[in-house]
């Protein structure tokens, strides 16, 4: 359900005194000052008592007489044609909810409204989101007030276990926190994006896994097509998100953001996200104990070393990870001067003609990570000829062609066989419209992955094995009355996979 069109822009302001962020890391409270209206001016029923408006919506100054015949408007209570309109909330030129103010850098209602739209875009509504949207306008006003007053702090996160490709914890933030992330990250992104290197591909506009794969392909071909041969060095940071040292990350962000002139309220949000572990703000476990035990102990955020760890599963952590490893990117490109280097999150590849050069870079990178970022490399260091293939982001890249990783194909077969086992019988596919859409989504995901490799015959093999995909894998329109009911579709030839 889309929220209504944004109402009038509500301005907030605050006067701050003293140093908001002292050099000692992570004070529990950031000092704020300024005047705040204590008494609610909404006396009429139906007006939110939580909104501290400067003025009374029931006062004559906030009522109008509208002539619906000619559009004339006045506010002197003289009757044009008995069409009387009274404002529910005031919207004076200075703005609504003026108890906290700090000028043009304030988080406004309009800002929060757009962040709200971004947070819900392409997301299936959760119970937490629907609870927020039951009273979304007041929720956005409250978030803006907390941000401007420097009192916002993260709510407890929901923790569940993702089992593919391997078991790991996902910490889903409260929906209100997601809105704050979407308000904050674009501001920081505008500061950092111009200085990120070109070949960092995670969580950036215009980048992504497929762009990273194409870039590695071009590097491999450039090296191999000249004199032949060539080597690659593939490295991965050990237990990356659990090993990010938050005080080090905060010092990086603080120095850069303050030079860029970011608002104190945005700086407070950064501080609130990093000053304490997720376990202290609260975790609601949504996975069974058996599922939680699938995650190795050293991969659990609760077991991260003191001062370390960012939760996987929210926008701010993804961006902070890029900021943290940008130091490595700059070191590799400008100190080591490596011409062919691609990074996706904590997995990175370097390509060169000379094996000895890559061996030297490996030692330098390992030393830099330990000294500057308190990180270490996984023991599985791959220094191999290009002709053996680079296993990267679900593909195996050779100088002459690209294949899909065997594990991805195994997962595709498993998912399609499981769907067919319950729904495919003797020339018929029987499922609900929602289940048909699910099957189409599964196949579209894997087929889209395959299309970025040399897989024409592989895709044909899948269609021969799962012949029902020809009928189910295309868009099907269902009448609304059929939703939730089983529908049978005939196919010429059906395999049970």
């Amino acid at each position: 359900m889309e929220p209504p069109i944004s109402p009038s822009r509500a301005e907030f302001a605050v006067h701050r005194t003293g140093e908001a962020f002292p050099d000692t890391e992570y004070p529990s409270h950031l000092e704020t000052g300024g005047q705040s209206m204590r008494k609610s001016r909404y006396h009429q029923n139906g007006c939110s008592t939580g909104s501290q408006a400067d003025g009374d919506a029931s006062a004559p100054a906030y009522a109008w007489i509208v002539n619906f015949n000619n559009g004339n408007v006045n506010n002197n209570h003289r009757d044009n044609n008995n069409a009387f309109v009274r404002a529910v909330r005031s919207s004076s030129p200075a703005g609504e909810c003026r108890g906290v103010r700090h000028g043009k850098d304030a988080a406004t209602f309009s800002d929060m409204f757009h962040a709200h739209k971004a947070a819900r875009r392409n997301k299936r509504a959760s119970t937490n989101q629907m609870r927020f949207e039951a009273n979304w306008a007041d929720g956005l006003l409250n978030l803006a007030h907390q941000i401007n007053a420097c009192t916002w702090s993260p709510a407890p996160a929901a923790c569940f276990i993702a089992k593919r490709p391997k078991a790991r914890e996902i910490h889903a933030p409260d929906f209100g926190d997601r809105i704050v992330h979407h308000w904050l990250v674009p501001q920081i992104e505008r500061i950092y994006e111009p200085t990120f290197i070109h070949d960092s591909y995670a969580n950036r506009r215009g980048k992504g896994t497929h762009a990273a794969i194409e870039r590695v392909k071009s590097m491999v071909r450039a090296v191999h097509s000249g004199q032949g041969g060539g080597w690659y060095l593939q490295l991965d940071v050990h237990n990356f998100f659990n090993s990010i040292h938050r005080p080090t990350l905060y010092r990086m962000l603080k120095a850069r953001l303050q030079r860029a002139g970011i608002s104190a309220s945005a700086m407070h949000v950064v501080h609130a996200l990093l000053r304490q572990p997720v376990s202290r703000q609260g975790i609601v476990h949504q996975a069974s104990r058996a599922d939680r035990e699938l995650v190795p102990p050293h991969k659990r955020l609760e077991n991260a070393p003191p001062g370390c760890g960012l939760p996987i599963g929210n926008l701010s952590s993804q961006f902070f990870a890029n900021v943290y490893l940008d130091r490595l990117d700059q070191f590799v490109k400008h100190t080591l001067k490596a011409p062919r280097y691609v990074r996706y999150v904590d997995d990175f590849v370097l390509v060169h003609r000379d094996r000895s050069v890559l061996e030297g870079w490996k030692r330098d990178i390992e030393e830099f990570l330990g000294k500057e970022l308190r990180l270490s490399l996984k023991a599985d260091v791959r220094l191999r000829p290009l002709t053996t293939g680079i296993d990267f982001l679900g593909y195996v890249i050779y100088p002459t062609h690209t294949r899909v990783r065997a594990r991805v194909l195994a997962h595709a077969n498993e998912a399609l066989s499981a769907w067919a086992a319950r729904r495919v019988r003797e020339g018929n596919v029987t499922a609900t419209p929602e289940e048909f859409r699910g099957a189409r989504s599964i196949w579209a995901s894997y087929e889209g992955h395959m299309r970025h490799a040399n897989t024409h015959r592989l895709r044909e093999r899948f269609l021969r094995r799962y012949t029902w995909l020809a009928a189910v894998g295309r868009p099907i329109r269902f009448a609304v009355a059929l939703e939730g009911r089983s529908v049978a579709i005939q196919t010429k030839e059906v395999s049970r996979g």
Side-chain angles (χ1 to χ4, degrees):
M1 179 179 66
E2 288 289 335
I5 296 174
S6 170
S8 298
R9 188 179 178 96
E11 301 291 344
F12 295 80
V14 64
H15 296 292
R16 289 182 176 78
T17 59
E19 177 66 20
F21 300 101
D23 290 334
T24 55
E25 290 297 328
Y26 302 165
S28 60
H29 178 68
L30 302 178
E31 183 180 355
T32 61
Q35 297 180 349
S36 176
M37 189 168 291
R38 303 294 183 183
K39 183 177 179 181
S40 172
R41 293 298 187 90
Y42 282 102
H43 307 299
Q44 297 267 332
N45 292 333
C47 296
S48 172
T49 58
S51 181
Q52 307 290 327
D54 184 20
D56 192 342
S58 65
Y62 296 98
W64 297 268
I65 303 296
V66 182
N67 187 328
F68 290 103
N69 294 323
N70 57 23
N72 288 340
V73 179
N74 64 60
N75 63 350
N76 58 8
H77 286 276
R78 293 192 179 94
D79 189 8
N80 288 336
N81 62 354
N82 295 322
F84 181 85
V85 179
R86 187 179 299 278
V88 176
R89 287 191 176 187
S90 65
S91 182
S92 63
E96 188 181 353
C97 301
R98 297 185 300 172
V100 182
R101 64 183 74 192
H102 60 67
K104 64 183 180 64
D105 291 331
T108 65
F109 184 90
S110 177
D111 295 334
M112 304 314 296
F113 179 79
H114 291 299
H116 174 224
K117 288 177 65 178
R120 70 200 300 272
R121 186 176 296 127
N122 298 326
K123 299 288 186 181
R124 180 175 296 180
S126 63
T127 303
N128 180 259
Q129 176 180 339
M130 290 188 288
R131 188 181 301 117
F132 180 93
E133 293 189 344
N135 196 16
W136 65 272
D138 284 339
L140 296 182
L141 289 169
N142 186 49
L143 286 175
H145 181 84
Q146 290 179 26
I147 290 171
N148 293 331
C150 288
T151 59
W152 179 86
S153 61
C159 177
F160 60 93
I161 306 301
K163 299 179 182 179
R164 296 285 182 85
K166 52 189 175 182
R168 65 192 186 280
E169 290 181 331
I170 303 295
H171 291 82
D174 180 82
F175 185 71
D177 291 354
R178 278 169 51 190
I179 295 173
V180 175
H181 297 166
H182 281 273
W183 170 81
L184 173 70
V185 169
Q187 300 180 58
I188 309 178
E189 192 175 50
R190 284 192 291 271
I191 297 170
Y192 274 93
E193 184 63 32
T195 58
F196 281 156
I197 68 167
H198 175 78
D199 289 323
S200 168
Y201 284 89
N203 309 308
R204 296 175 64 191
R205 290 186 179 91
K207 303 291 186 177
T209 57
H210 295 145
I213 289 298
E214 294 302 319
R215 183 65 167 161
V216 173
K217 286 181 187 179
S218 68
M219 292 179 177
V220 169
R221 287 193 297 265
V223 172
H224 189 267
S225 64
Q227 299 175 355
W231 297 76
Y232 75 90
L233 172 66
Q234 186 171 10
L235 303 172
D236 198 351
V237 178
H238 173 70
N239 202 17
F240 174 55
F241 278 92
N242 283 10
S243 301
I244 293 175
H245 190 241
R246 293 193 308 277
T248 299
L249 173 60
Y250 179 68
R251 283 193 292 271
M252 292 179 188
L253 288 161
K254 179 181 177 182
R256 179 73 178 273
L257 297 180
Q258 287 184 338
R259 285 199 306 271
I262 199 168
S263 67
S265 55
M267 200 67 224
H268 167 81
V269 173
V270 173
H271 180 270
L273 288 169
L274 297 177
R275 72 177 176 222
Q276 63 185 11
V278 174
S279 57
R280 193 171 298 174
Q281 75 188 43
I283 298 176
V284 179
H285 288 284
Q286 297 185 345
S288 64
R289 181 175 295 274
D291 283 346
R292 290 169 60 190
E293 289 176 352
L294 295 174
V295 181
H298 72 281
K299 291 284 190 180
R300 300 173 193 169
L301 193 56
E302 61 191 25
N303 296 331
C308 293
L310 288 182
I312 300 174
N314 62 60
L315 183 65
S316 61
S317 293
Q318 294 169 2
F319 185 80
F320 289 158
N322 269 346
V323 171
Y324 202 66
L325 284 185
D326 182 58
R327 292 278 294 277
L328 171 66
D329 296 339
Q330 304 297 335
F331 172 76
V332 171
K333 298 299 289 186
H334 300 294
T335 302
L336 300 184
K337 300 188 183 301
R340 298 179 180 91
Y341 162 82
V342 170
R343 180 178 66 81
Y344 190 90
V345 192
D346 60 335
D347 193 359
F348 46 101
V349 175
L350 298 98
V351 179
H352 201 272
R353 299 185 189 280
D354 192 338
R355 176 189 173 102
S356 62
V357 171
L358 292 174
E359 287 176 339
W361 286 349
K362 185 260 181 184
R363 289 191 297 269
D364 293 339
I365 289 171
E366 193 167 23
E367 181 182 353
F368 177 86
L369 287 174
K371 183 178 179 180
E372 299 292 331
L373 300 177
R374 304 191 182 197
L375 299 174
S376 61
L377 294 174
K378 285 183 178 178
D380 182 22
V381 175
R382 300 175 188 177
L383 178 55
R384 301 173 183 173
L386 292 176
T387 52
T388 63
I390 304 176
D391 189 344
F392 187 57
L393 302 180
Y395 299 89
V396 182
I397 303 168
Y398 297 90
T400 55
H401 63 284
T402 302
R403 292 180 177 174
V404 176
R405 180 187 285 171
R407 187 171 65 183
V408 174
L409 298 180
H411 289 165
N413 278 308
E414 183 181 339
L416 293 173
S417 296
W419 195 92
R422 292 179 294 165
R423 301 174 180 89
V424 177
R425 293 290 185 276
E426 299 177 356
N428 289 318
V429 182
T430 305
T432 64
E434 182 65 24
E435 290 171 336
F436 278 117
R437 288 190 287 268
R440 178 171 173 256
S441 177
I442 292 171
W443 174 237
S445 175
Y446 285 110
E447 187 190 26
H449 186 83
M450 294 176 192
R451 285 184 179 276
H452 288 267
N454 303 101
T455 57
H456 177 73
R457 284 183 293 182
L458 175 65
R459 283 178 279 137
E460 285 188 339
R461 192 159 62 244
F462 265 84
L463 292 173
R464 285 196 302 269
R465 182 177 184 184
Y466 305 102
T467 54
W468 49 270
L469 281 174
V472 175
R474 57 184 174 80
I476 305 174
R477 286 179 172 270
F478 293 98
V480 175
L482 295 178
E483 294 294 335
R485 299 170 59 184
S486 293
V487 179
I489 295 179
Q490 289 186 344
T491 59
K492 294 181 180 179
E493 181 183 0
V494 178
S495 169
R496 296 184 184 181

